Amino acid sequence: MADADEMSAPVAPQHVPFRGADDEVRPDFVALVEAAVRSGDAVVLRALTQDLHEADIADLLKQLDAEERPRLIELLGADFDFAALNELDEGERSQILEGLETRTVVEGVRDLESDDAVYLLEGLGEEEQEEILERMPPIERAALKRALDYPEGSAGRLMQTDVIAVPPFWTVGQTIDLMRDSQELPETFYALYVVDAGHRLIGSVPLDKILRARRQTKIEEIVTETRLVHATDDQENVARLFERYNLVSAPVVDETDRLVGTLTVDDIVDVIQEEAEEDLKALGGVKGEEISDSVWTITRSRFGWLFVNLVTAFIAASVLGLFEGQLEKMVALAVLAPIVASQGGNAATQTMTVAVRALATKELGSANAWRVVMREVLVGLLNGVGFAALTGIIAALWFGQWSLGVVIGLAMVVNLVAGALGGILIPITLERLKADPAVSSGVFVTTVTDVVGFFAFLGIATWWFRLG
Amino acid sequence: MADADEMSAPVAPQHVPFRGADDEVRPDFVALVEAAVRSGDAVVLRALTQDLHEADIADLLKQLDAEERPRLIELLGADFDFAALNELDEGERSQILEGLETRTVVEGVRDLESDDAVYLLEGLGEEEQEEILERMPPIERAALKRALDYPEGSAGRLMQTDVIAVPPFWTVGQTIDLMRDSQELPETFYALYVVDAGHRLIGSVPLDKILRARRQTKIEEIVTETRLVHATDDQENVARLFERYNLVSAPVVDETDRLVGTLTVDDIVDVIQEEAEEDLKALGGVKGEEISDSVWTITRSRFGWLFVNLVTAFIAASVLGLFEGQLEKMVALAVLAPIVASQGGNAATQTMTVAVRALATKELGSANAWRVVMREVLVGLLNGVGFAALTGIIAALWFGQWSLGVVIGLAMVVNLVAGALGGILIPITLERLKADPAVSSGVFVTTVTDVVGFFAFLGIATWWFRLG
């Protein structure tokens, strides 16, 4: 088959490497693929892509124009591995799926492992899901529907349902023979599971233990208790379990402790990365955004966060408005006020960043909250004093007025301590209220430092210079 | 042995669970451990900790006072698994190691797998490293020294040097027999490696393939080419390889392609998480900080970033200073100017967050840079127009002056476009200059939006109201 292809494709340009030295997909390779897609040359296309991993195919798809992507898939037909689509951002994936024939999607989904099939389906609309599931054979359909019944973001959605389970009274020899003869094995696996007559999980045996044991050894002699996951567990908790105990795979059980699937670390790696990345994006005000999103999607999604920030900016400005008289009498105050607010905001952001991340990884909890709060206040006070001196001297020299330096210095200490308190207490409080601290801490924190900064600076100035 | 312990410890309080429902270590468990450590009761301590995973022991150590930690380790003696120390932050780890007898550390390191031993040693000072290595048996010392000779953050430092390598002409049966009889196998493994007579890597065989093959099958029939890692590769690149291709383990070769070790995904999970977390912390101005650091360490490390920000705040203030005359004539400008700067800063932070992360994951590269820049400018323009209208109306109503609304609206459009350009071009430029965009983008970006915001608003106001 491969030979026939080669013969009918005398110019299969396989000498062009896929990635350049910078690890990016080479433009000349993309050009060859584009040419093949445009001319509908399935043979050249197959020759170009046959050795590529699904992740490489995904990177290749990203380089193509939107309308060429489904065309490439239809051209490759059964040679296209739908697992590649799972490596794309959600927006890219659904756009491609919309461009494909339903028949192609059904065939593609059928060839996937159960966890990949669920991942692909869960991003689709209810109607499209139904349309595809309807055309699947009943057994596969039932299995996929069962997985989709688990809540979004649960272990049940992530798990692979093909597992190897043996009874405890079997021998290692019997088990190895089963594996040699069985066709329906998962693609790769790292442990066997041991179950009782009711399919309830007893424990697991890592593959290397099977290999080291003698054939006549009973499975019950080498089975070990294993850390397990419930199908309804949240994926973030599962990720923490894998990470903490360095797991490579774990069995998944239902509410009656029956074995229903297995999770492997490669699915979990994605969850771990997503989780850290979500916090980063939430703190930056771009939650859920992907680099591949369209202008309009991005504009709308960023607008909300900016709108909330605009409200807080007006609140801060209204504090300045209260001191209009003073600003008029002494314009240096208007020039210096933003410095106090900005320095407080930056110090508070530092505290908040550490707090949000430590809350997410559970390094910050009730056991050490008090100690961390005290430490942050102390850090705020120390840095407050340091920057009070620095800012005070510069301001005093700039405007030739020593008392102005004293006033801004005092305001700086107040605002850095307020920033420290806000930076640690706001995320902790949001977490207690079951809100995501990464999403909304920033707005509250900078409101605190803007308002406190302006109030402290202009209030102290009013009193000191008797401007009231 | 376990029985004898139980008998001499009639009140082994094993009914207290280790973790509470919130997944945190239970305070009453910690209290029991503390009591045992203080009274030097090794028997109770052993009963309490014997079933705990190294990660749990690490979480337990975190809950103890600093001086109790080495005491617990000395009390447990050979029952303490030094791998637990690798789950701690670097500061905690080195503090504990300083409190231990050198003899205890040497014994502990000897019991570790090679990768764990290297991880533990690399955090120590040169002198302490030497002191420990000197007391190790020559073979172990040589292996550790070889690993420590690889650059920090390289695959050579992370790898496990105990690997199973077989020649291609062996049969599956021979291989299984080797594994059954060998004592010197790694704790767990997921693949065998195939090497030629010069120990050069030919390929790998996953364990499940060995199990599925018949005993008489030759290894060369089932060996597959494998993605490999060079010992000098940077760990971030290795992590991307594991993540992209969903690897569970990979062989490590030296510059002559000889097999020198293996990497498993559990080491890589830590790298992946660290990498995302590093970006988050760098953007928040707390690079390298850990929740366990002391007040003084934190104060100093945050001071630098705040100092740079203070400089930029003064630069922005000096722009306001240029317009002192105008501010005096029209104090509303002083009240509203921070709104323009803040809104631009927030919009730019959104763009920058997406850009920094996309650069780190290589989703943003030369192939799509131009498209992304154009998109960001368009988003900035659209949101700029939206917020120009909003801000303009509010400002006009507040100060009862429609022209003020027009002026702030124009400034808002200018600053949001400037923010978009700064937010995307600054990280890209820093990346090209081989600087870490996560660390220093923020400072440049907010300087741009502060300076442009103040200049645009006060400049347009000067011209519009003829204040010059």
Side-chain angles (χ1 to χ4, degrees):
Chain A
M1 175 79 186
D3 274 359
D5 275 4
E6 296 278 331
M7 267 184 289
S8 58
V11 279
Q14 294 200 336
H15 54 279
V16 177
F18 178 65
R19 286 185 195 274
D22 57 355
D23 205 37
E24 289 188 35
V25 182
R26 285 175 57 125
D28 48 356
F29 190 96
V30 176
L32 288 172
V33 169
E34 271 175 341
V37 170
R38 281 188 198 135
S39 62
D41 192 339
V43 174
V44 167
L45 195 59
R46 216 163 277 150
L48 281 166
T49 58
Q50 63 187 359
D51 290 333
L52 295 182
H53 185 272
E54 60 205 46
D56 294 326
I57 297 276
D59 282 350
L60 175 64
L61 284 172
K62 280 177 201 252
Q63 304 296 323
L64 300 181
D65 291 339
E67 66 278 8
E68 286 171 353
R69 297 170 185 176
R71 227 171 120 42
L72 175 142
I73 296 169
E74 299 281 5
L75 275 169
L76 284 179
D79 288 335
F80 179 80
D81 181 355
F82 266 59
L85 296 182
N86 283 345
E87 307 284 331
L88 298 172
D89 293 336
E90 187 159 341
E92 296 168 321
R93 183 164 55 247
S94 55
Q95 206 177 33
I96 291 177
L97 288 172
E98 275 166 33
L100 290 174
E101 312 258 341
T102 309
R103 196 180 41 75
T104 313
V105 179
V106 171
E107 290 304 318
V109 171
R110 285 194 59 185
D111 284 340
L112 289 176
E113 304 232 339
S114 60
D115 54 341
D116 288 332
V118 170
Y119 189 82
L120 194 103
L121 286 172
E122 69 179 2
L124 295 177
E126 197 106 344
E127 222 171 292
E128 289 156 294
Q129 250 183 39
E130 266 313 312
E131 200 185 330
I132 292 165
L133 285 171
E134 246 169 48
R135 305 206 191 182
M136 307 271 285
I139 296 178
E140 291 174 36
R141 179 170 58 215
L144 286 175
K145 279 202 163 173
R146 210 158 36 232
L148 287 167
D149 275 346
Y150 288 112
E152 221 185 303
S154 70
R157 286 279 183 100
L158 280 181
M159 72 187 178
Q160 161 68 263
T161 52
D162 295 330
V163 291
I164 304 180
V166 293
F169 49 82
W170 274 30
T171 63
V172 166
Q174 274 177 295
T175 307
I176 292 181
D177 293 341
L178 165 84
M179 287 188 281
R180 285 201 183 128
D181 299 331
S182 177
Q183 302 296 319
E184 285 283 305
L185 291 181
E187 207 183 320
T188 48
F189 53 97
Y190 313 104
L192 306 176
Y193 299 116
V194 186
V195 292
D196 68 12
H199 216 71
R200 277 184 296 272
L201 184 74
I202 296 173
S204 75
V205 186
L207 288 197
D208 59 307
K209 245 184 165 174
I210 292 271
L211 278 171
R212 289 178 203 190
R214 321 221 150 253
R215 277 185 71 85
Q216 61 274 27
T217 310
K218 282 258 166 66
I219 291 292
E220 61 197 358
E221 294 170 41
I222 54 174
V223 64
T224 47
E225 239 191 287
T226 180
R227 288 179 203 278
L228 54 79
V229 169
H230 290 94
T232 49
D233 284 351
D234 185 81
Q235 62 179 16
E236 295 198 1
N237 295 332
V238 176
R240 209 155 42 240
L241 191 80
F242 267 73
E243 209 184 331
R244 187 189 286 153
Y245 299 118
N246 294 335
L247 306 181
V248 166
S249 65
V252 184
V253 298
D254 66 10
E255 59 284 5
T256 61
D257 289 332
R258 283 168 6 119
L259 179 69
V260 291
T262 176
L263 280 171
T264 50
V265 68
D266 50 313
D267 308 310
I268 299 301
V269 163
D270 297 337
V271 175
I272 290 172
Q273 213 207 358
E274 262 169 40
E275 204 190 336
E277 197 166 293
E278 256 175 36
D279 280 351
L280 182 140
K281 287 186 176 169
L283 282 171
V286 286
K287 193 174 159 66
E289 193 176 312
E290 297 291 350
I291 192 85
S292 61
D293 288 344
S294 72
V295 168
W296 190 235
T297 311
I298 293 180
T299 305
R300 274 179 311 168
S301 81
R302 289 193 193 165
F303 188 90
W305 197 73
L306 287 176
F307 181 77
V308 176
N309 273 291
L310 183 65
V311 173
T312 74
F314 267 104
I315 293 173
S318 70
V319 174
L320 284 180
L322 293 178
F323 294 92
E324 260 187 57
Q326 289 86 328
L327 295 174
E328 238 162 2
K329 286 183 203 152
M330 200 169 164
V331 78
L333 298 180
V335 173
L336 293 173
I339 295 178
V340 180
S342 138
Q343 199 69 355
N346 283 319
T349 301
Q350 292 183 315
T351 302
M352 178 185 75
T353 304
V354 173
V356 163
R357 195 58 201 148
L359 283 169
T361 58
K362 307 272 170 187
E363 285 178 287
L364 176 58
S366 47
N368 60 350
W370 182 242
R371 203 175 61 216
V372 173
V373 171
M374 289 315 301
R375 189 193 63 185
E376 287 300 329
V377 171
L378 211 55
V379 170
L381 190 65
L382 286 171
N383 267 336
V385 171
F387 285 108
L390 261 170
T391 317
I393 291 168
I394 303 172
L397 291 175
W398 184 0
F399 291 95
Q401 201 175 350
W402 280 106
S403 48
L404 196 58
V406 174
V407 169
I408 198 171
L410 288 174
M412 195 64 96
V413 176
V414 171
N415 207 26
L416 260 65
V417 173
L421 276 170
I424 184 78
L425 291 180
I426 289 171
I428 290 181
T429 308
L430 287 169
E431 173 94 354
R432 295 250 162 109
L433 298 174
K434 311 272 173 218
D436 182 353
V439 175
S440 31
S441 292
V443 170
F444 291 110
V445 166
T446 49
T447 308
V448 167
T449 51
D450 280 358
V451 168
V452 171
F454 289 153
F455 249 120
F457 181 51
L458 296 172
I460 295 172
T462 305
W463 166 76
W464 187 283
F465 298 114
R466 302 177 209 287
L467 296 169
Chain B
M1 177 72 188
D3 274 0
D5 275 3
E6 296 278 330
M7 268 186 285
S8 59
V11 279
Q14 294 199 336
H15 55 279
V16 178
F18 179 65
R19 283 182 197 274
D22 57 354
D23 206 37
E24 288 188 34
V25 182
R26 285 174 57 124
D28 49 355
F29 191 97
V30 176
L32 287 172
V33 170
E34 272 175 341
V37 170
R38 281 187 198 138
S39 63
D41 191 339
V43 175
V44 168
L45 196 60
R46 217 163 276 152
L48 281 165
T49 57
Q50 64 188 0
D51 291 332
L52 296 181
H53 185 274
E54 62 205 45
D56 294 327
I57 297 277
D59 283 351
L60 176 63
L61 284 172
K62 281 177 200 249
Q63 303 296 321
L64 299 180
D65 291 339
E67 65 277 9
E68 286 171 352
R69 296 169 184 175
R71 225 169 124 42
L72 175 142
I73 296 168
E74 299 282 6
L75 275 170
L76 284 179
D79 289 334
F80 179 81
D81 181 355
F82 266 60
L85 297 181
N86 283 346
E87 307 285 332
L88 298 172
D89 292 336
E90 187 160 341
E92 296 168 322
R93 184 165 53 249
S94 57
Q95 205 177 34
I96 290 176
L97 288 173
E98 277 166 30
L100 291 174
E101 312 258 339
T102 309
R103 195 180 41 77
T104 313
V105 179
V106 171
E107 290 304 317
V109 171
R110 286 195 58 187
D111 284 341
L112 290 176
E113 303 231 339
S114 60
D115 53 343
D116 289 332
V118 170
Y119 190 82
L120 195 104
L121 286 172
E122 71 181 0
L124 296 176
E126 198 107 343
E127 222 169 291
E128 291 155 293
Q129 250 183 38
E130 266 311 313
E131 201 186 329
I132 292 164
L133 285 171
E134 246 170 48
R135 305 208 192 181
M136 307 269 287
I139 296 178
E140 293 173 36
R141 180 170 57 216
L144 287 175
K145 279 201 163 171
R146 207 157 41 230
L148 286 167
D149 276 345
Y150 288 111
E152 220 183 306
S154 69
R157 286 280 183 102
L158 279 180
M159 73 187 178
Q160 162 69 261
T161 51
D162 295 330
V163 291
I164 304 180
V166 293
F169 50 82
W170 274 30
T171 64
V172 166
Q174 273 178 296
T175 307
I176 292 182
D177 292 342
L178 165 82
M179 285 189 280
R180 285 203 183 125
D181 300 331
S182 178
Q183 303 296 318
E184 284 284 304
L185 292 181
E187 207 182 322
T188 47
F189 53 97
Y190 313 104
L192 305 176
Y193 298 116
V194 185
V195 292
D196 68 11
H199 216 71
R200 276 183 298 270
L201 184 74
I202 297 173
S204 75
V205 186
L207 287 198
D208 59 309
K209 245 183 166 175
I210 292 273
L211 277 171
R212 289 178 204 189
R214 319 219 151 255
R215 279 186 69 86
Q216 60 274 28
T217 310
K218 282 258 166 67
I219 290 292
E220 61 198 356
E221 295 170 42
I222 53 173
V223 65
T224 47
E225 237 191 285
T226 181
R227 288 179 202 279
L228 55 78
V229 168
H230 289 95
T232 48
D233 284 351
D234 184 81
Q235 60 178 17
E236 295 198 1
N237 294 333
V238 176
R240 211 155 41 242
L241 192 79
F242 267 73
E243 209 184 332
R244 186 189 286 154
Y245 299 117
N246 294 334
L247 305 182
V248 166
S249 64
V252 183
V253 298
D254 66 10
E255 60 282 7
T256 60
D257 289 330
R258 284 171 2 118
L259 179 69
V260 290
T262 175
L263 279 171
T264 50
V265 67
D266 51 311
D267 307 311
I268 299 301
V269 163
D270 296 338
V271 175
I272 290 173
Q273 212 208 358
E274 260 168 43
E275 204 189 335
E277 197 166 293
E278 254 174 39
D279 281 353
L280 182 141
K281 287 186 175 169
L283 282 170
V286 286
K287 193 172 158 69
E289 192 177 313
E290 297 291 350
I291 191 84
S292 60
D293 287 345
S294 72
V295 168
W296 190 234
T297 311
I298 293 180
T299 305
R300 272 179 313 170
S301 82
R302 290 194 193 164
F303 188 91
W305 197 71
L306 287 176
F307 180 78
V308 176
N309 273 291
L310 184 67
V311 172
T312 74
F314 267 103
I315 295 171
S318 71
V319 175
L320 283 181
L322 293 178
F323 293 93
E324 259 185 60
Q326 289 86 328
L327 294 175
E328 235 160 6
K329 285 183 203 151
M330 200 170 167
V331 77
L333 298 179
V335 174
L336 293 173
I339 295 178
V340 179
S342 140
Q343 200 68 357
N346 283 318
T349 302
Q350 292 182 316
T351 302
M352 177 185 77
T353 303
V354 173
V356 164
R357 194 56 202 151
L359 284 168
T361 59
K362 306 271 171 189
E363 286 177 286
L364 175 58
S366 47
N368 60 350
W370 182 240
R371 204 175 63 214
V372 173
V373 170
M374 288 315 298
R375 189 193 64 185
E376 288 298 329
V377 171
L378 211 55
V379 170
L381 191 64
L382 286 171
N383 268 335
V385 171
F387 284 108
L390 260 172
T391 316
I393 292 170
I394 302 173
L397 291 175
W398 184 0
F399 291 95
Q401 201 174 350
W402 280 106
S403 49
L404 197 57
V406 174
V407 169
I408 199 172
L410 289 173
M412 195 63 97
V413 176
V414 171
N415 207 26
L416 260 66
V417 172
L421 276 169
I424 184 78
L425 292 179
I426 289 171
I428 289 181
T429 309
L430 287 169
E431 172 94 356
R432 294 251 162 106
L433 298 174
K434 310 271 175 221
D436 182 354
V439 175
S440 31
S441 291
V443 169
F444 291 111
V445 166
T446 50
T447 307
V448 167
T449 52
D450 280 356
V451 167
V452 172
F454 289 152
F455 248 120
F457 181 51
L458 297 171
I460 295 173
T462 303
W463 166 75
W464 187 283
F465 299 114
R466 301 177 208 289
L467 295 170

